[in-house]
Structures are given as structure tokens and as C-alpha cells.
Amino acid sequence: MKNIAIDDRGYYGRFGGAYIPEMLHANVEELRRNYLTMMADPDFKQEFDLLMRDYVGRPSPLYYAERLSKHYGTQVYLKREDLNHTGAHKINNTIGQILLAERLGKKRIIAETGAGQHGVATATVCALKGLKCIVYMGEVDIERQAPNVARMRMLGAEVRPALSGSRTLKDATNEAIRDWINNPEDTHYIIGSVVGPHPYPDMVARFQAIISEETKWQLQEKIGRDYPDAIVACVGGGSNAAGAYYHYLNDERVRLIAVEAAGLGVDSGESAATSQLGTEGIIHGSRTLLMQTEDGQIVEPYSISAGLDYPGIGPLHAFLIDGKRAEAISVTDDDALAAALFVARQEGIIPALETAHAFAALDQMAYGPDDVVVVCLSGRGDKDLAAYSSYLDSVPLNPA
Amino acid sequence: MNRLARLFAEKKKDVLNIYFTAGYPTLDSTVPIIRSLAEAGADLIEIGMPYSDPMADGETIQHSSSVALSNGMNLNLLVQQIAEARRHTEVPLVLMGYFNQVLQYGMERFVGAVAGAGIDGLILPDLPAYEYERDFRRLAEEADLQVSFLITPQTTDNRIREIARSSTGFLYVVSSSSITGGSSEISDKQRAYFDRIEKLGLDNPKLIGFGISDAATFRTACEYFNGAIIGSAFIRSLAGQESRVAEASREFVERILQPQEQ
Ligand SMILES: Cc1ncc(COP(=O)(O)O)c(C=O)c1O
């Protein structure tokens, strides 16, 4: 694959585009016309960089994980997005989008959220800018990610339950889109991943690209070369992965590993392993891989992880996987839980359930002793303590 | 001649278009609803292909769609039902759905199947203009299917002109930028929007949709363009009417078309 980039209609190869009803056209078009110029504006850049440093706490460390390295017999580095303000990579994108929304004169912000990390990151930047914030969240996720619901409310956001379908991320996204259709004038929709109609996948990837931008110079400092042999990231919609890959997309020396949630198992009927179970179609305005029936009805996904419980993937990832530039690995609920416990006890870091899938993928990979493997540690696990506690109750003591 | 073309050639005012979701309230409601709406005086009928994730639709159509899907509705069955309805009525029929359903069925196969069953027009709200012009327009024209597009208060004049050129059927004038199902009075802002469209002097027939729910809003809408589309209000009137969909359909049209009280 040569020169991976988006074309002017918003396609990566066959994937992407903007399949939206006319009711969304004006808003999406306004964004499409403005995002690149606004992002290139020196004022924008200055404010973005300052907030990234002093508010988010960037650069996020690239940490050499000694005990994990020993265990796997390879060189494991963790890109510590969990140390960002609000505890995940999601804030990189919401800072960027709130600055755009402000410059577009929007007064009201809406968002969807699965794990609640994107909702918290959106509520945070809305508080920062004094903008009204409404977050749609599936009823199931409101229950399983309760700490994040409390955080959003504390920050002044209104959390509205999505009651349709599987009452998870897909349904929250539908509700956010409907809200935008109903509020076409003063509202900006901050999508939380590299999904949705063009320009969202490209815009969100550019905001998350800071992850690999830092990785480059951090690796240079640490190992004397600016690229790893492999990058491992979990993929819900694919924003932390897109950011971790971004500056290496055209560097074929770097293996890109996309880790999906297998739920109870890829063939169990309760899964979210989109690249294996999906076929080409349209979801949330984008042509990509998605889980669907022969009739084109979208299938309800399942994963223990609210952030990976999505029946599609961003068009960039569909393109990378379809073109064999990225390799997809899928990880079950049980393997993710075991990996979370293992990492907590090896490194003293409790990862988010989403990120735990990326760690579990290390067990399925082969490497040499000198290989440099960067794992995108997309978020911290505080929000998942309820799931981890009940897991602890169910396993023998001190399995590690 | 295409039945839609004939309708708009013969009738310039007060065109009543009723939308329903195929497979709601029961799997075999399609034929009795179409026959009964047509007999009671609906000029044109829009059949919604139920979709799992209807992103432009409000609660009423989301609900009817999910009921229809759990009843077992699918495109192959719907094509058979439409062909059956066609044996009884010459009312123009428009099929509305989300583009993913068409993609999975196969564009060419879809166009052939629905035209063969007696459909006259299509509305695919999330089919992008360039993809329509590149892949779809020729197929639809060869099958003599008219394709309608939506315009909204946010659509600029230039874009309305472009959309009007692409539209081979009526223009679907979304009354306000809102998802289906809201019931609203026609506001000053909407009147200004209708006036703006009027001034463009487009040749396409125009129907107003979204938020038309009763005889009063239907009559007001008809003052502006060629007629109006009623969807959610009709679907709501079918709730609990599983055993008498034909009667409920007739009663609904009669309520809309009742003579104006002085
Ligand atoms: C910590 C964390 N990682 C990963 C994800 C998945 O999103 P994405 O694939 O866009 O990075 C989420 C989503 O909620 C998350 O909270």
C-alpha cells in the first residue's frame, strides 16, 4: 500500500465518504469546508498546543515496561494516554473539536459515548469553554460505566439515555445524530472516534495524531531510532489506534496491530469483532466494514467493554485491514479481564477494559527479543473497577 | 407513462401522500393498507422499507421499523407484497429506505426488482449526490423510476437548484430541519423558507413533509406547494389496529380530507 491518505471526497480507497440525509448536510459541509484551514491557523495551533501541555498534561510519557518486556521476551513500551487529564486519549480530540466549535460560533455541544471517557472528555472541554453539553449514552452503558456518568454530571453535562436497539454505543450515536438534525443552527456534534461522515474520520485522526507524533521523538530519545517494530492498539471506532498509527501509516517497517473485542468469542453470536464478522456497507454516514445481516440490517454487537461494543470500525481501519496494512487480532472478554489483572500486578497500572484488549493481544503475537513494541495505553481503569472486582471474586487468589 | 409523472400532470394541488412502514403493524398489512389508502383518496403512497438504524427518523418510525423487522419484514417479501398490491390499484407508489439496504441487495438487482413489482419512485435520503449521478441515475432512468431528493431550510439556493436538477421526481420539502414525527404549526420562519423556494421557479413538483399531522396542517401545507406527505401521524393511528388496518387507513384519509369547517 502506497501513500495512505484521504481523497477530497473523504475516501480511503473505497471506504469513507458522507452518506447523510440532507438534514445534516449544512452542518457537515460547514465543518468540511473549515476544518483544515482552521486547524492550520496559528492562533488555533497556539491555543491547542498550550491546552495540550498545561491542561491535558502532554506529552504523555512513553514508558519502558520492564517486567512486561521480560515476560514477553521483547521490548515493550507503553504510550501513557491514561495519564492525560480525564484519563484517556479521548481528550486530544475533544480539545481540538471544542476549539473548532468555538470558532464556528456554536453554543451547544452534543456527543455520544460508550465507555463514558469521550463523554467525560466532552463535558470537560464544555466546562472549560462555558458551553452547554448534552451526552447521549446507551442505557446499558450508563449502568456499567456509572463512575463516568457521575463525572459528566459533576462537570455540568446532561446525560441522556439511548433506549433503542442494544442500548449501547451505536444507539447513542443514532440519538446524537437525531439531536443534530433537530438542532441544525447552534449545535456542534463532537464525535468521539474516527467514524461518521467525512470530515470526521480525518479530523479526529488528525487530533489524535499527536500520539504518534510524540512517539517518534520519544523513541528517538530512548532507542536512537524513531520507529518501533509494531504498534498495538484496541479498536472500537479506532481513534486511539488511528492516532498511534498516524505518522507511521506509510512506514512499512512498522507493523500495525488492531485489536478488536471478540466478546464471548468471534463465532458466539455475542461479539464486536467487526473486521472478521463485518462486510462492506454504511454505518453512521460512512462506507466501511460493519456487522450486518444479508438484508443490510445492522447487527447488535456485544463486548464487556462499552468502548469497543460497536458494530463498525472507522473507514481508515477498514482500508488498512482490507489492504493488509494492518493486522486484526480479536480478544475475548475473559482474556481482556485476565490481561487487565496481569498488567496491574506486573506494572502497577490498572488499564481500562478497552486497553486491556490491546494487552491481551500481546499473548497472540510473535516477536524477537530486540523488537520494539509500542502498546497504546489508551485509558485508565478506574471506571471499570466494578467489572474488575467481580472478576477478582471469580478467580483463584493471586493468579499472577 | 410513469404513474407519478401522470399524477403530477393531472393534479397540481392538494396531492396527499401517505407514508407507512412496511410490515407494521403486522407482516401482512402492506396490501390492505395500500388498497385502502388508495380507495379512500390518497393520491400517492410512500412505502418505508424498515431499517434497523433509521437515523433521520423519529421515535414513531423507529418503533414501527423495529416492530416490522421483528415481524419478519424483508425486501424480498416486500417486493412480492408490492406486486400483489399492484394487481388491485394504479395508485403511484414510492419506496423509501436507507442506502445500505440497497447496497446489500445490489443496486441493479434492487432497481429491477422494485420496478418490476410496480414501484414508480424512490427516496434514498442518505444516497450522496455524486454517487447517485455516477452509479444510480442511469439504472433508475432505464427502469423508469423517478428519484426524489430532500431539501431543508438549511439548503442554500444554489444547492436547491442542483438538487432539483438531480431529482427526476417530486422535491421533498422538509418543512423544518427536524426528524420525522414532530407535530408543529407552520411558523413565520417556515413560510419564509417556502417563499424562498417558490421564488426559485423550479419546474419540479413539490411536496411538503415532516410535521404534517392532521387536516389543518395538511391544508396549510397545500397552500404553498403541490401537496404534502403525512407519515408519523398515520403510523400512530395504526397502533392497536392490527385486526382492522384497512378500516383504520380509510378513516385516517377521511379525517385528513374532510371538508373544511367554516
Ligand atoms: C480507554 C479507551 N480506549 C479505547 C476506546 C475505544 O475508542 P477508539 O477505538 O476510538 O480509540 C475507548 C472508548 O470509549 C476508551 O475509553
Side-chain angles (χ1 to χ4, degrees), chain A residues 265-284:
Chain A
V266 172
D267 300 317
S268 67
E270 298 289 335
S271 181
T274 305
S275 72
Q276 288 185 62
L277 299 171
T279 51
E280 192 174 325
I282 293 162
I283 181 169
H284 297 136

Side-chain angles (χ1 to χ4, degrees), chain B residues 168-183:
Chain B
T168 50
F170 61 88
L171 274 181
Y172 193 131
V173 180
V174 177
S175 62
S176 64
S177 271
S178 72
I179 48 177
T180 56
S183 65

Side-chain angles (χ1 to χ4, degrees), chain B residues 99-119:
Chain B
F99 187 48
N100 193 44
Q101 299 169 283
V102 178
L103 264 186
Q104 302 315 317
Y105 203 80
M107 281 195 243
E108 219 166 324
R109 178 170 165 236
F110 172 82
V111 163
V114 304
I119 288 290

Side-chain angles (χ1 to χ4, degrees), chain A residues 88-90 115 117 192-193 234-240 307-308 352 354-355 378-379:
Chain A
H89 67 293
K90 297 284 182 186
Q117 286 302 124
S193 193
C234 64
V235 173
S239 67
N240 86 88
L308 305 183
E354 290 73 25
T355 318
S378 58

